[in-house]
Each structure stands twice: as C-alpha cells, then as structure tokens.
Amino acid sequence: MPIKKLENPRIYRQIADQLKTLIDNKEFPPGSRLPSERELASQLQVSRASVREALIALEVIGLVDVKVGNGVIVCDSLARSVPPSQEPVMALAGRNQWADVDDELNIELDFTAELPPFSLLQTRRLIEPETAALAARHASDEQLAAIRQAYEQNCRDNRQGSATHPGDRLFHIRIAEASSNPTYAFIIAHLLGHRYGTMFRSLQLHYTTQDMPHRSEVEHLAILNAIEARDARGAKKAMKEHLDAVIAIFGRG
C-alpha cells in the first residue's frame, strides 16, 4: 500500500494532502476505492475522526465520492469542483468559508466589532488553559521552538518598554497553534492577531501595574517550562493562574 505513516499524525491536513498526491499520481485511479477509514487510520496511526475529516475535505474539492457504508470512490478529474492544483487540500476546500453569512440564520456577524475587555479575557480564560494542556501533549519540536521564540520576543518587548506587547500576544497564539485543534488556533489568532481595541488599550493604560510586565513574563515562563516538559496538567494550571492574575489586576479596586 503506497501510504506512509505520518510523523505528525494529529494534523488531518497531512492526511488529505498525502491522499491527494497519491490520487494525482494515479496510485488510486478514477473509479477505484480508497482503503477503509479503519485501514487508513491503522496504517497512518491516526484517529478515524482525522481520517474522516480528510476524506470529507477531498470530497469537497471533488476528488472522491464518500458513500457512507459503501466506501470512498475516486472520482474522474472532470468531477472536481475546483480545477487541479498544487495547493494543499484545505486551501482549496476551505476557500471562502467565511466570506458569506448563512442567510438562513438571519443574523449579522460583525468581525470588526469592539469586544469588551473583560469578556475577551473571560473567553480566553475558558479556552487557553486547554490549549496549553494540548500543546504540552502534541506540540512538535518546531512548534515548541516557535513558542519559546515568542516568549523571548515578549522579554525583549518588556526591556524596551513596549506599550503594545506583541510578543505577549504572539506567545499565546503560538501555544494555540500547537494545541492540535485548528479551531482553538483560529479563535485565539482572531482574538489576539490584531492590535487590541481602543477599550482594551485604555484599560491597559489606566490599570497596568508597574510590575505587571515582569509578573507576566514570570508566569509565561512557568507555562513555557510546563509545555516543554510535556506536563499537560502543569501547563493548564499555569495558564489558568496567569489569566486569573491578569483579570484580577485589571479588575482590582
């Protein structure tokens, strides 16, 4: 079977890209069946959920026809919903996903809306301890290096008296990216990938204590050390304590 075990089995995109390459190279010609989910999961040493996501992505771009209970059939190239491309599967399958609001819901989504600072922090408080725990379990060596580089940038920012703290935000984004959950990464990157809104910046200006950058740096180091030690429980606890401390400082009387 011309399928290679994945070195990083948590990323379903790799599964989809590998299968796309095999199909493009006629290892699985039109009309043939792909191995079953169970077989693929066993050979790739990944979960069946990851395999299923990859197969659905391939169906979205017209490479396969998923027939539940009857296998996955490779389609003729004319059936593709997008032209043949060297782009990764998810770049093709996910294109324009966020371009249009579902008119059946009759709601408006404003991605430019100002988020109240404490609601932002409370949301992060719910999500980020879990991202830290998952990063401790799943981060690749490259992702660990990226988290540490963000921490080092955070330290440099503090030495230079930064008022915007890009290294701080990047540290949290890199952890979310290493969590193995792309939805967590999307949420945290959306929340932190832009400069904070005017309300948050004003809150920082008025209520950031003089020692807060140093305290945050120490707390970040505790999170980093736990992630690098593959201590999921410790990473979760350190992240929770860090965000609790930030909320307490901004909410103090």
Side-chain angles (χ1 to χ4, degrees):
M1 180 63 62
I3 292 178
K4 301 176 183 178
K5 173 185 171 182
L6 295 177
E7 293 300 322
N8 195 351
R10 63 186 173 77
I11 302 179
Y12 74 101
R13 298 181 182 209
Q14 291 187 28
I15 303 170
D17 288 338
Q18 185 178 151
L19 291 174
K20 177 179 180 294
T21 297
L22 293 172
I23 292 170
D24 288 343
N25 292 340
K26 308 302 185 196
E27 296 283 356
F28 296 107
S32 66
R33 292 179 186 272
L34 294 185
S36 69
E37 283 184 7
R38 187 184 302 276
E39 290 177 85
L40 288 170
S42 175
Q43 292 182 52
L44 296 167
Q45 297 188 19
V46 299
S47 70
R48 287 185 67 175
S50 295
V51 170
R52 184 167 295 180
E53 288 176 333
L55 294 174
I56 292 299
L58 292 175
E59 183 177 51
V60 167
I61 65 172
L63 272 184
V64 301
D65 183 12
V66 176
K67 298 182 180 297
V68 177
N70 196 32
V72 179
I73 311 299
V74 177
C75 295
D76 185 271
S77 59
L78 296 178
R80 293 192 182 197
S81 57
V82 295
S85 171
Q86 296 301 312
E87 288 188 82
V89 170
M90 291 312 301
L92 301 170
R95 184 162 290 159
N96 297 325
Q97 179 178 358
W98 306 104
D100 299 311
V101 176
D102 189 338
D103 56 12
E104 293 179 325
L105 300 179
N106 194 31
I107 62 172
E108 293 184 6
L109 297 176
D110 182 4
F111 289 103
T112 67
E114 177 94 25
L115 297 175
F118 285 104
S119 73
L120 173 64
L121 288 169
Q122 288 159 0
T123 299
R124 291 179 56 194
R125 166 66 177 71
L126 288 174
I127 296 174
E128 291 197 65
E130 185 65 18
T131 69
L134 290 170
R137 294 191 188 103
H138 301 302
S140 65
D141 290 343
E142 292 79 8
Q143 288 170 327
L144 289 176
I147 296 170
R148 176 162 283 281
Q149 288 167 4
Y151 171 74
E152 291 169 351
Q153 180 179 341
N154 178 201
C155 295
R156 290 193 299 272
D157 292 343
N158 289 343
R159 305 297 176 271
Q160 296 167 4
S162 172
T164 55
H165 308 287
D168 184 320
R169 289 178 287 124
L170 185 61
F171 177 75
H172 288 270
I173 291 170
R174 293 292 182 244
I175 291 172
E177 290 173 343
S179 71
S180 83
N181 186 321
T183 303
Y184 283 158
F186 177 87
I187 292 170
I188 298 303
H190 181 68
L191 293 177
L192 301 182
H194 306 277
R195 291 186 183 276
Y196 280 136
T198 54
M199 289 177 64
F200 204 108
R201 293 201 301 272
S202 293
L203 186 74
Q204 285 182 313
L205 177 64
H206 292 304
Y207 294 99
T208 295
T209 58
Q210 189 171 7
D211 68 336
M212 188 173 177
H214 173 71
R215 289 178 56 174
S216 183
E217 189 176 308
V218 171
E219 291 161 7
H220 282 174
L221 182 59
I223 298 166
L224 175 62
N225 286 340
I227 291 174
E228 289 183 334
R230 303 294 186 182
D231 178 4
R233 181 175 297 180
K236 185 172 187 175
K237 179 174 182 289
M239 181 66 82
K240 175 182 177 296
E241 291 176 347
H242 167 55
L243 291 171
D244 281 344
V246 172
I247 292 171
I249 287 173
F250 286 150
R252 76 191 191 283

